[in-house]
Every structure is written in structure tokens, then in C-alpha cells.
Amino acid sequence: MNLVIKPARSLRGTVSVPGDKSISHRAVMLGALAEGATLIENFLPGEDCLATVACFRKLGVEISWTGKDSLRIQGCGLEGLREPEEVLDAGNSGTTMRLLLGIMAGQPFFSVLNGDASLRCRPMARVTGPLVRMGARIEGRQGGNLAPLAVQGGNLKPVHYNSPVASAQVKSAVLLAGLFAGGVTSVTEPYRSRDHTERMLRHFGAKVDVSGTTVRVAGRPRLLGRKIAVPGDLSSASFLMVAAAALPGSDLTLQRVGINPARSGIIDALTGMGASIELLNPREEGGEPVAEIRVRCTGRLTGIAVGGEMIPRLIDEIPALAVAAALAGGRTEIRDAAELKVKESNRIATVAGMLASFGAVVEELPDGLLVKGGKPLRGCACRSHGDHRIALAASVAGLLAEGETIVHDAECMNVSFPGFDGLLKKILV
Ligand code: S3P
């Protein structure tokens, strides 16, 4: 699908973005491992989360739709999954594959996990390494680094794992495997990554301790089915936030968006650039902080430097942030973000290429990007590289550019933001 984007004047109104991708995956996974029913509302019906649903159905879990974005999961308990007869296909979803590897490592059966061409290039040794140390047998290309991966799980022992990267997928895979090991499993990261797994494990009844950048989970807990209302996804919201911050006259409110502090770096970064962002009615729902986010255009954005512990707090929002940087006055330097190279595309290269095609001045750095902002963007034809966040960032750049933009292969947006085009039409003035 090619998406044609015309320059926008302003974004105004009050809308909701689709449910959070990270939380939707975890709700299905923990719902499957719990005893009794779990009811999920505002589930993200994007392709990544649908891949997780399909995998758990193959593992014998009954999952039914009770509405267009609500699910009922009949949990099997920690010992109730059954050996899948078919390959578990994670599609484009790193979260599905990595978290599922943790769960499969704990099962006394054989399973094979695969994904699409992009996922088959993404590093899995960061997850299979600690899982093998816990006692799982995992084989794959490049010594267990690349999918397809074959797992013979069971008989795990608890470990302490010192992760070299701040990655919620690594941390979550080890913690989920730890559910099947007797004793306490722990993970230490260089910086804190998103903590949805920890929060949701507690919500389902597991014992989880956090101190500094170390998380501990007690094995073999009794998880009980729960009701979960998934917050709106801040990563999806960030694209609209950038457009509203940059388009004169904009006043946009996004309802019930997740503002978990481990994810909210984009709010801090855009505020630091001069955007007006208000968090209205902040509250906690189901263990996750949420608020309405109101963004108004102030007419002045200036460049910013981001790096260090801020990076895991906005890693998925860097494509959106880079678009804001292209419009802002002065330089924006994004450092310590080499992880961008192993996302759905090499996002250092694809963000730089996308912005350059709009006429922005941008340089690739070994661990990030340097954007010299302030030059007007020119509409162009650009490619998504099969990466949903590149397609979304290019669309936002198109709203802010002069002339028409065509985003080729834009259907990958459905991975995280189904209905983007329709939602945009509601708020375009
Ligand atoms: C995710 C963790 C992050 C993020 C990804 C979703 C998660 O990846 O980029 O989109 O749901 O745990 P890493 O764990 O590789 O940093």
C-alpha cells in the first residue's frame, strides 16, 4: 500500500490511540500462564500482537474475541501449555519471539520458533545465552543467534543474569523463564528498561522485587487470571505529538495514554525542545500510570542532546523525535543508541535516509544521529523498509513538509498503529 500524505495546517481534537503493544503482548502471555480467565480490553489488534495470540493458540490456549479489541483468555496455569505441532511464527515481532523463548525454555517439550525475513536477521543470542545457562537446549543458525530456533525446555535452574544491554525483552525472557525454576531468578541491567513485565507479574500475583537496576522473581508462583485495560500506546502517540508540537495552531488531546516513567523519555525530550505538553488527570490503572496528553504548538522547537539512561526510555520514539529535530532550530544529537541498528530495520540508517529524502540535514553516527534542523522539509517519495515506525515517521514528516509525500509499503503501520490514516483524518484541520 502506498500512503499519500498532504501537508497539514493543524491537528486539533481529542482522540484515543490504539492499545500499548508491549502491554498487549504481556497480557496474552501472562493470561495464558494464569489460572482462570483473563479479560483484556483495548488490546492492540496489530500484527505483532496477533502473532502472539496465534502462537498461544498453537500452545493449546483458548483465546476468543469478545469485541473488536477485547479478548478472553482461558489460562492453563504454569503447567498447562501443550507441545505445539507446528512452528510458532512470531512474524515481525521481536517481543513475541524473545519473550516466548523465555516461556518455551521452561516447558518440558520441544518447540520451534520462526519469524519473517527481518526477525530472522535480529540477534537472539542475547536471550538464548542466559536461557541456555538456566538449562534449556536451544539450537539455531549462528550457534543459536538467529531464528529459526529449536527449543527443548524444562528442568530450569534459577540464575542471576548480568545483562550487557538495557533491554526489556532480554530481562523479560529471563524473568519469564524464572517462573518455571525453583528459587529466585534475577536480572541486572546497565540502565532500567521498560518494566511492564514486572508490573504485570505483580498484578497476576507473582512476587517481584526491584532494587536499583536489579529485578528478582520468585519461581513457581500461582498466577491468577485478571482483568486488564491496556493503556493507549505512548509510542504510537509520539507520532501525533510531534506533528501537533510542530504545526501552528495545533491543540491535540490523546486520551488514556500510558506514561510509564520507563517509557516517557519522549515527553521529556519534546518538552526540553520547547513543546507544550500537559499530562491531565494522571492516575494508575491496573498497575500502569496513564493520563490524557495535551499537546499544543508553541511555534518554537530547538535541538536537544539525548543519550545515556534516557535512551531506553525513548528507544522506539527516536524515529518520531528525529522528525521533530529536523524542524527544530539548531542541532539535535542522539548518542548511545546503537541498539537502533537491530530494530525492525537498522533505524540509524533508515531514519537518516528517510529524513535526507525530505531534504533534512542529517548524519549517521556509529551510535546515533546528528540532525541539523531548521531547513524546510520537501515532500518526497520514500520507503518504509518494512518498518512500521519508519512508515509512521515518514507520514508525520509528510504532514510537516511542503508538497505531497508518498510513503511506499506503508501497510507495515498495521504492526503497531492500525487505523493511523483514519485517525489522522479526524484531527486534521
Ligand atoms: C520491547 C522492548 C524494546 C522495544 C520494543 C518492545 C518490549 O526492545 O524496542 O519495541 O515490549 O519489551 P529491547 O528490549 O530490545 O530494547
Side-chain angles (χ1 to χ4, degrees), residues 120-274:
R120 289 196 301 269
C121 296
R122 294 179 66 187
M124 295 296 148
R126 51 179 59 196
V127 168
T128 58
L131 297 177
V132 166
R133 264 186 55 201
M134 294 177 81
R137 278 174 25 222
I138 307 180
E139 302 282 345
R141 293 178 300 133
Q142 275 187 5
N145 188 35
L146 297 180
L149 293 162
V151 185
Q152 176 60 58
N155 279 327
L156 296 188
K157 55 178 190 297
V159 291
H160 172 71
Y161 184 60
N162 235 321
S163 175
V165 281
S167 158
Q169 294 177 352
V170 172
K171 173 177 64 178
S172 302
V174 176
L175 295 176
L176 289 170
L179 298 177
F180 301 93
V184 174
T185 293
S186 55
V187 182
T188 301
E189 318 181 79
Y191 302 118
R192 286 197 68 181
S193 61
R194 64 189 66 190
D195 61 355
H196 304 302
T197 302
E198 297 89 302
R199 287 172 184 263
M200 202 179 287
L201 276 169
R202 280 201 191 111
H203 190 58
F204 276 83
K207 191 168 176 311
V208 180
D209 287 332
V210 180
S211 70
T213 60
T214 300
V215 184
R216 295 179 186 80
V217 68
R220 309 213 173 105
R222 191 160 174 227
L223 303 177
L224 296 176
R226 300 302 305 253
K227 260 193 172 162
I228 295 174
V230 178
D233 196 324
L234 180 58
S235 301
S236 300
S238 71
F239 295 102
L240 302 177
M241 289 164 65
V242 165
L247 287 168
S250 294
D251 186 351
L252 180 68
T253 300
L254 302 168
Q255 290 173 302
R256 221 182 138 263
V257 183
I259 53 161
N260 183 318
R263 291 276 298 279
S264 59
I266 187 67
I267 298 177
D268 301 342
L270 290 176
T271 304
M273 293 173 85

Side-chain angles (χ1 to χ4, degrees), residues 29 100 104 150 163 174 179 185 199 205 254 279 282 298 305-306 317 336 345 399:
M29 293 181 182
L100 197 53
M104 291 303 96
S163 175
V174 176
L179 298 177
T185 293
R199 287 172 184 263
L254 302 168
L279 300 182
T298 56
V306 294
E317 291 70 65
D336 305 319
S345 66
L399 294 175

Side-chain angles (χ1 to χ4, degrees), residues 292-309:
E292 274 63 65
I293 301 182
R294 183 176 185 194
V295 187
R296 279 175 290 181
C297 179
T298 56
R300 39 169 208 283
L301 289 177
T302 46
I304 192 175
V306 294
E309 65 182 327

Side-chain angles (χ1 to χ4, degrees), residues 21-22 26 95 98 126 166-169 194 315-316 343:
K21 182 154 79 70
S22 292
R26 287 156 170 85
T95 307
R98 294 198 177 112
R126 51 179 59 196
S167 158
Q169 294 177 352
R194 64 189 66 190
I315 188 76
D316 290 342
K343 296 295 178 189

